[in-house]
Amino acid sequence: MKNIDSRTHTRGESVYLDDIPLLQGTLFGAAFPSPIAHGHITKLDISEAEQMPGVVKIFTYQDIPGENQIGGIIQDEPLLAEQEVDFCGMPIAFVVAESNEEARAAVKKIKVEIDPLPVITDPRIAQAQGALIVPPRTFILGDVDNIWQACTHIFEGTADTNGQEHLYIETQGAYAIPQENNGLKLHSSTQSPRATQQAACRIIGVPMHFIEVDVTRLGGGFGGKEDQANAWGAMCALAAYSLKKPVKYSLHRMDDMAMTGKRHPYSSDFKIGLDENLKIIAYEVTFYQNAGAAADLSPAILERTLFHCTNTYFIPNVRARAYSCRTHLPPNTAFRGFGGPQAMFVMEAAITKAADSLGLDASIIQKVNLNKTGDEFPYGQLAVSEAHACWNKAEELYNLEAIREKATAFNTSNKFLKKGVSVMPICFGISFTNTSMNQARALVHVYTDGSVNVSTGAIEMGQGVNTKMLQVAAQVFSIAQEKIRLLTTNTTRIANTSPSAASATADLNGKAVYLACTAIAERLLNFVAEELHTEASNVALKNEYVYLDGERTEWDWKRLILAAFLRRINLSEHAHYATPEIYFDKLKEKGHPFAYHVYGTAITEVTVDCLRGIYEVDAVKLVHDFGTSMNPAIDKGQIEGGLVQGIGWMTMEEIVFDKAGRLRSNALSTYKIPDIYSAPKEITIEFLQTQTDNLAIFRSKAVGEPPLMYGIGTYFALRNAIKAFNPATQIPFDAPMTPEKVLLALYSEEVAKLKEKHEQAVRNMAIS
Ligand code: LUZ
Ligand code: MOS
């Protein structure tokens, strides 16, 4: 089945926030961001801005009737700065004017004086000063301290990954419309309607039932709107509530980039120990997470980093420690993978360090350490593993040996072009790590003509979740897809939603749709069985007909529905689903937090131009564990998108903050994301279709986040290509591998000599 949005998308008819027709009298907001990363506000002068044409009101924290607080996990984030600013881009005031342009013009007239305070951008410095968001967490398996002496090989090192801009095509935004009796309707580009509703209510100081949040779809989220859509929703709600006028704020790209948090940069130390058979028997890792200026989702992300610290390997002795460090960057936030990719990069760096030192290909160490069913993760859950199945299938199907030989032959006959190959196995846990969030609801109405409406808590953000929801309803009722419509995500129809996140949206909401449709179907079957003087177990719904003992009856779907309605059978159902079996004990740091894991293996081939440092990804060939995919077209789309996004994070996407905490890569001219030319020339996706029972909807495993981590393979393939040119080079594990870094690594000796010469020249100048 194709994506139900494809027609309106290609015709430009799909409705995003900016496509909502504006009500007469709508006002427009714009935030005034702090120009400085850290300091005390000594003076805020809005008098000139207030006199600007079209300006209706300028809100500061003093105009907030409720609580000036939008922190989710920890109450440490004001909506509008009070006495202190903690990051460059922190909203200080909210201008509301009659037009967008007037609001933005007025923002430029606001004057603020700030006494600067020291700015920290490095998480290790923050940690050394005790600036932590939450106390550190430690996961332990086995006895790492007493196993080092049993190791044949021990290697240590550091590995760093930079952040990543979400770059959803639709920027953040909201549109608040007053209703009678002080109610508000809030359109928001949010992954979490409940969180946006709650934040807005808290700011205004009204109970949650005063605000209805409604979302048709998002033009991308990637985690950037899991928590950080709330501020803009709250600002619009605040202004609409106090002015009794509709208020809209849709951020400009550069404002969005400067004011919102990104993927967390991490700096990490590792120590890895192997026995004589290359089995990793000890692994110790310390993560320094750059949380930014407020907690946001950082504690949850830190937790997922720990959960994924051993990637897909079984390591019997592990100690993993993680610090969430408070710095003066915009609060970093959820981003596809949610701290997992950062941990997996460190694991792969440790293996690569061992392989380099032992003169081996990393894949030899990777392969002998893949986990098996029954192996214990450091957090106590036992694996149901497809690691070997994916690896072996990829190795054979794509002929890894031949790929390697081809690359070696190419490298022998080319001086300035070098190929590199890597293998990247992945393992990703599916469920919110916070057990309580693993719940969802669905509301299904069957109308008297047999047509069906479905509402869920799922947010459609381009990932195709609505199509999957429709498939569930169509399958349970056995009716044509044209009879079913997916409605907007709305807090009055579906309350208390978990964010559409953690790759779990289709599973959680799909199960709720399944339960709702099944309940209605059961009532229908009981009713028709009575009409046909038989047992319900003898009748079934099939292709829009009632079947009796396998034979089609005269009862078609329409007749059935109308007759059931006239007999006053309930044709609506609101169902609730909560993932069974999962739990986690934070005191022991043990449990069974994930419904299941998703596995896969990717082989990456790259070519580096050793004169210029630029590179191409020739091919990524992978085997992915889909369970039993319920929609291969959508799932393949998720794999391709995730992979290219992961490659971008690992290669060309480079976030640069200067020492003062100002974002320098603040536009698409200075922040490069993969385009069609930098995507792999070839992406081959092979399905590992398994029949094993799992907790996924229709056994179709979650596919949102796992494929991003295949992108890590590109980093290590590039490294191998560089080493083919310059075997002696020492390449720090420091992603992204930009062309500049490639060039420096290719000519590390020359670079060192130039540096020496330069320093000598500087010394000579100083003397003369
Ligand atoms: N969001 C969240 C997530 O709140 N908890 C999670 O475990 C998670 N995992 C992935 C992505 N978003
Ligand atoms: Mo997410 S990182 O699943 O919002």
Side-chain angles (χ1 to χ4, degrees), residues 107 207 258 286 295 312 326 367 458 480 511 555 651 723 758:
V107 162
T286 307
T312 189
R326 196 184 291 273
K367 189 176 175 179
K511 294 260 183 173
W555 287 78
T651 60
K723 282 188 294 180
H758 173 77

Side-chain angles (χ1 to χ4, degrees), residues 73 191 223 226 297 300-301 303-304 307 334-339 428-429 431-434 437-438 499-504 594 705:
I73 298 177
Q191 288 173 245
E226 181 175 337
L297 291 164
I301 291 159
E303 186 172 71
R304 193 174 274 280
F307 282 123
F335 195 139
R336 204 173 193 171
F338 207 72
F428 197 77
S431 286
F432 288 95
T433 58
N434 178 350
M437 291 170 80
N438 294 285
S500 282
S503 305
F594 298 119
E705 295 169 292

Side-chain angles (χ1 to χ4, degrees), residues 546-559:
V546 174
Y547 276 65
L548 172 61
D549 296 327
E551 294 287 322
R552 198 171 106 172
T553 67
E554 297 287 290
W555 287 78
D556 67 13
W557 173 256
K558 274 192 161 176
R559 176 181 167 187

Side-chain angles (χ1 to χ4, degrees), residues 242-269:
S242 83
L243 300 171
K244 303 284 171 249
K245 294 259 199 169
V247 176
K248 183 178 166 184
Y249 183 21
S250 177
L251 274 70
H252 277 193
R253 176 66 63 189
M254 285 175 77
D255 294 338
D256 188 308
M257 290 177 83
M259 289 196 269
T260 65
K262 304 162 197 327
R263 182 189 293 285
H264 292 76
Y266 274 68
S267 186
S268 310
D269 297 322

